[in-house]
Amino acid sequence: MSNIQGVSGDSRINEAVCIDTKRIYDSCVSKDCAEDLRVTFNDAAQSLIDNADTIKTRDCDISAVSIDVDEVPFNRGYYSVNISFYFRLRFDTYSSPGAMPQVAIGYATFEKKCILYGSEGNVKIFTSTAGARRSDCPEAPKYTNPTAKVQAVDPVVLDTDVVDVCHCHHHCCTNFPDSIRNNFAGTRFPQNPEKAVLVTLGIFSIIQLSRDVQMLIPAYDFCVPEKECSCSTQSPCETFQNIDFPVDEFFPPSSDALAESTGCGC
């Protein structure tokens, strides 16, 4: 029997138990290069862009992701996963050489689609919840389409380009979900922008299709914590003295030392 973390080599299976969990039926790794995405600004940020002599991208993060799952016609068990990424970007705008930068925040969107196998199921799932007990009807059924899950890291900004609007063939996108539009609350979108910002992003993601299933698994024993809770009442200064000095923060490791610690010479 192979050792399992937290289970000693002498442990034996006590029983087989049935659990309700999610099983991943299909998944894929995606590496996308989203070229020339038009960034949308509110009127105040667009004014900074129009009057800037130099614009530099400070950072980019994923603000929200929208996912839709649809059956693929004439291909039983397969589903189309439609994904919309919404990115929040910050730009340092310089009105003149040597001037202090002002930050302009904008949003961009990127859509992609993939087809994965999600098996079949025709039952409807009803569950009992506190909300259902307050009404005279059970919770609305959940249909058995598989559940899509997207894991992604914040994108890499590969390129930033500023062009005149008359030379830009990418229309300003204002079709954002409410979670994004709320960030523009109290402002409005510019009517006649002079400049457009186009960014190219590198996106790494993993897409999965899973279903609720009942599985039989071996059970060893109950999970009894072995670590005692720390209830230290010592002063903050005493706690600080027990923290190791962060040497690596002051002296970052060299590339050779980093390769040795990670075991990778890439």
Side-chain angles (χ1 to χ4, degrees), residues 148-167:
K149 179 180 179 180
V150 176
Q151 303 177 59
V153 295
D154 287 334
V156 179
V157 180
L158 302 175
D159 186 38
T160 302
D161 195 13
V162 181
V163 298
D164 293 333
V165 170
C166 60
H167 297 150

Side-chain angles (χ1 to χ4, degrees), residues 35-40 109 163-173 193 196-199:
E35 295 185 82
D36 294 339
L37 300 180
R38 173 78 180 269
V39 182
T40 299
T109 181
V163 298
D164 293 333
V165 170
C166 60
H167 297 150
C168 178
H169 302 290
H170 300 262
H171 297 289
C172 181
C173 176
V197 177
L198 307 179
V199 294

Side-chain angles (χ1 to χ4, degrees), residues 208-225:
Q208 301 171 336
L209 273 189
S210 61
R211 282 186 179 276
D212 290 327
V213 296
Q214 291 75 45
M215 300 185 69
L216 194 66
I217 64 169
Y220 294 88
D221 205 345
F222 291 103
C223 301
V224 180

Side-chain angles (χ1 to χ4, degrees), residues 17 141 182 239:
V17 297
N182 289 339
T239 301

Side-chain angles (χ1 to χ4, degrees), residues 39-42 45 59 61 87-91 104-108 176 180 184:
V39 182
T40 299
F41 301 94
N42 60 20
D59 54 34
D61 58 66
F87 305 106
R88 173 181 176 270
L89 299 105
R90 294 193 301 170
F91 300 91
I105 298 177
Y107 292 85
F176 291 108
I180 302 298
F184 294 97

Side-chain angles (χ1 to χ4, degrees), residues 5-84:
Q5 186 175 1
V7 178
S8 63
D10 296 332
S11 297
R12 295 292 183 266
I13 298 175
N14 290 338
E15 60 177 332
V17 297
C18 184
I19 63 170
D20 191 353
T21 186
K22 287 187 177 295
R23 174 186 172 183
I24 299 174
Y25 278 85
D26 201 0
S27 63
C28 63
V29 176
S30 180
K31 181 180 179 181
D32 298 290
C33 181
E35 295 185 82
D36 294 339
L37 300 180
R38 173 78 180 269
V39 182
T40 299
F41 301 94
N42 60 20
D43 53 353
Q46 183 65 52
S47 177
L48 294 176
I49 297 296
D50 291 341
N51 296 318
D53 180 68
T54 304
I55 298 174
K56 297 180 180 179
T57 304
R58 175 180 292 189
D59 54 34
C60 175
D61 58 66
I62 300 174
S63 183
V65 178
S66 175
I67 309 171
D68 289 324
V69 179
D70 299 313
E71 293 185 23
V72 177
F74 311 112
N75 202 349
R76 295 179 59 181
Y78 283 85
Y79 296 82
S80 171
V81 183
N82 305 291
I83 308 167
S84 297

